Amino acid sequence: MKEKLELIKEAAVSEISKISSSNEIENIRVKYLGKKGELTSILRGMGALTQEERPVIGKVANEVREIIEGKIEEALTHIKNQEKQAKLEKEVIDISLPGNKRFLGKRNPIDLTLEHMKEIFISMGFSIEEGPEVELDYYNFEALNIPKNHPARSEQDTFYINDNIVLRTQTSPVQVRVMENEKPPIKMISPGRVYRSDAADATHSPIFYQMEGLVVDKGITFADLKGTLEMFAKKMFGDKVKTKFRPHHFPFTEPSAEMDATCFVCQGEGCRVCKGSGWIELLGCGMVHPEVLRNCGIDPEIYSGFAFGFGVDRMVMTKYGLDDIRLLYESDMRFLNQF
Ligand code: DAH
């Protein structure tokens, strides 16, 4: 019996050394150690042994079982490692394959420019206010010294919801709304969309953007206006930029002016962007008209203020050298992808 056990051990060990998959190991385990396995049947036959033989053979049989079990364990670990290695090699990630491209939108250059402008004014202590695009005639015109028959109305023809409600033609009505609701000191900007019933062409769009500014406090002078706007121009276009103020007329400021800055492309030499003049018109501005302060319940004997309004689209067009305002509103990705 002892020899038989030896033979079983040798056969099992040699079989185990040849296997190459975990399935085969399972077969061997069944063949030798399973309920009907070779070793098991020998152990079953031990009843026929003598008293003396039994412990001796039992010991050998146990040793053989332990050896076979140990070999199986060893082989299993080895094969599992091999199989894992093979799987890893097969699963290698090919980084040369093109990935799945996600389609990302782009920010419109108006938005980019407005963000830059807002950052500069916020750094100078301005707050940001909002007003409605569908506006009362009173705020858009009347309270700003533009009564029903004023010639300024024809320059700013707009879309009428009814006799008293319009799509705002400018961001200036936000000045009135803020002054009605807040006590000075006031220091705010208000960017947003405005509307005029102009046919779209290279330089006109029925929708465009403005950015209003308003400062009201005791003792505000034209020097504050100039200092603030010159500082803005330097932060926006660089320290070398020069500004100039030309007298102008707006019904809601007195005195009024327009501010030009030296062309940031040619630094004032004259080029295609500034049409040879060396200057680019940036905004309208002036000291808030006493009548407008009065309309908003602010005493012009105590307070004074200045206001300004940028044409944002013009800033964008000159900044990026665009020759057609319609590009900004067509949402054409071939255009927007360039920013
Ligand atoms: N709202 C004016 C326009 O659309 C621009 C403007 C001029 C705004 C002078 C102002 C200002 O606040 O003081 O033409």
Side-chain angles (χ1 to χ4, degrees), residues 170-240:
Q170 46 187 353
T171 44
S172 304
V174 185
Q175 287 187 33
V176 181
R177 287 181 173 273
V178 170
M179 284 192 281
E180 274 185 354
N181 285 317
E182 287 172 32
K183 295 252 154 311
I186 291 169
K187 202 174 174 189
M188 68 90 176
I189 53 166
S190 185
R193 274 181 181 236
V194 300
Y195 302 80
R196 293 189 193 176
S197 69
D198 288 330
D201 63 23
T203 53
H204 294 87
S205 164
I207 298 173
F208 55 103
Y209 280 77
Q210 288 191 340
M211 181 148 108
E212 199 72 13
L214 174 71
V215 174
V216 182
D217 202 353
K218 287 178 184 156
I220 299 289
T221 69
F222 204 92
D224 297 309
L225 180 161
K226 283 188 75 177
T228 305
L229 294 175
E230 276 171 11
M231 171 73 97
F232 168 82
K234 287 201 180 352
K235 289 199 179 194
M236 186 81 191
F237 300 114
D239 280 338
K240 286 205 198 104

Side-chain angles (χ1 to χ4, degrees), residues 6-16 32 38:
E6 277 300 320
L7 284 176
I8 290 178
K9 183 185 89 182
E10 269 160 36
V13 169
S14 122
E15 270 186 57
I16 292 168
Y32 292 98
E38 294 185 21

Side-chain angles (χ1 to χ4, degrees), residues 144-155:
L144 291 165
N145 271 348
I146 312 172
K148 287 265 191 256
N149 54 2
H150 195 284
R153 290 227 181 188
S154 56
E155 279 165 37

Side-chain angles (χ1 to χ4, degrees), residues 64-321:
V64 169
R65 197 188 54 222
E66 271 168 30
I67 287 171
I68 296 176
E69 274 174 356
K71 288 281 171 197
I72 285 180
E73 243 6 87
E74 237 174 65
L76 205 58
T77 324
H78 181 65
I79 280 180
K80 284 240 166 91
N81 276 340
Q82 266 184 348
E83 285 176 348
K84 192 167 150 195
Q85 196 58 36
K87 200 169 164 215
L88 282 177
E89 273 164 27
K90 238 178 41 199
E91 276 181 3
V92 135
I93 297 169
D94 182 355
I95 55 165
S96 69
L97 279 174
N100 293 329
K101 255 201 186 155
R102 293 285 155 115
F103 177 77
L104 277 185
K106 284 282 167 100
R107 287 174 67 188
N108 189 292
I110 296 177
D111 195 38
L112 295 170
T113 305
L114 270 180
E115 184 171 276
H116 191 190
M117 295 171 75
K118 282 192 272 187
E119 265 170 23
I120 294 171
F121 279 110
I122 287 171
S123 79
M124 297 199 279
F126 283 71
S127 63
I128 297 181
E129 301 282 349
E130 276 182 52
E133 291 174 23
V134 182
E135 183 57 288
L136 288 172
D137 181 280
Y138 173 77
Y139 288 112
N140 194 81
F141 293 124
E142 209 86 22
L144 291 165
N145 271 348
I146 312 172
K148 287 265 191 256
N149 54 2
H150 195 284
R153 290 227 181 188
S154 56
E155 279 165 37
Q156 299 200 5
D157 193 16
T158 183
F159 302 93
Y160 283 79
I161 308 294
N162 61 35
D163 278 351
N164 293 320
I165 302 175
V166 300
L167 296 190
R168 67 177 181 187
T169 60
Q170 46 187 353
T171 44
S172 304
V174 185
Q175 287 187 33
V176 181
R177 287 181 173 273
V178 170
M179 284 192 281
E180 274 185 354
N181 285 317
E182 287 172 32
K183 295 252 154 311
I186 291 169
K187 202 174 174 189
M188 68 90 176
I189 53 166
S190 185
R193 274 181 181 236
V194 300
Y195 302 80
R196 293 189 193 176
S197 69
D198 288 330
D201 63 23
T203 53
H204 294 87
S205 164
I207 298 173
F208 55 103
Y209 280 77
Q210 288 191 340
M211 181 148 108
E212 199 72 13
L214 174 71
V215 174
V216 182
D217 202 353
K218 287 178 184 156
I220 299 289
T221 69
F222 204 92
D224 297 309
L225 180 161
K226 283 188 75 177
T228 305
L229 294 175
E230 276 171 11
M231 171 73 97
F232 168 82
K234 287 201 180 352
K235 289 199 179 194
M236 186 81 191
F237 300 114
D239 280 338
K240 286 205 198 104
V241 80
K242 291 198 191 83
T243 50
K244 79 174 174 196
F245 290 80
R246 286 178 285 102
H248 202 80
H249 172 262
F250 296 104
F252 43 90
T253 44
E254 182 59 36
S256 305
E258 281 188 330
M259 185 180 92
D260 300 342
T262 41
C263 174
F264 47 88
V265 175
C266 64
Q267 322 295 344
E269 298 276 308
C271 71
R272 197 180 61 87
V273 169
C274 57
K275 301 202 172 76
S277 74
W279 294 95
I280 286 171
E281 185 189 316
L282 292 186
L283 54 85
C285 59
M287 300 305 291
V288 182
H289 197 291
E291 192 57 29
V292 174
L293 291 175
R294 232 173 267 125
N295 288 342
C296 303
I298 293 178
D299 186 348
E301 299 299 325
I302 303 174
Y303 293 104
S304 56
F306 68 84
F308 53 90
F310 284 90
V312 177
D313 303 70
R314 179 125 35 88
M315 299 255 299
V316 176
M317 289 172 72
T318 40
K319 180 169 174 192
Y320 293 107

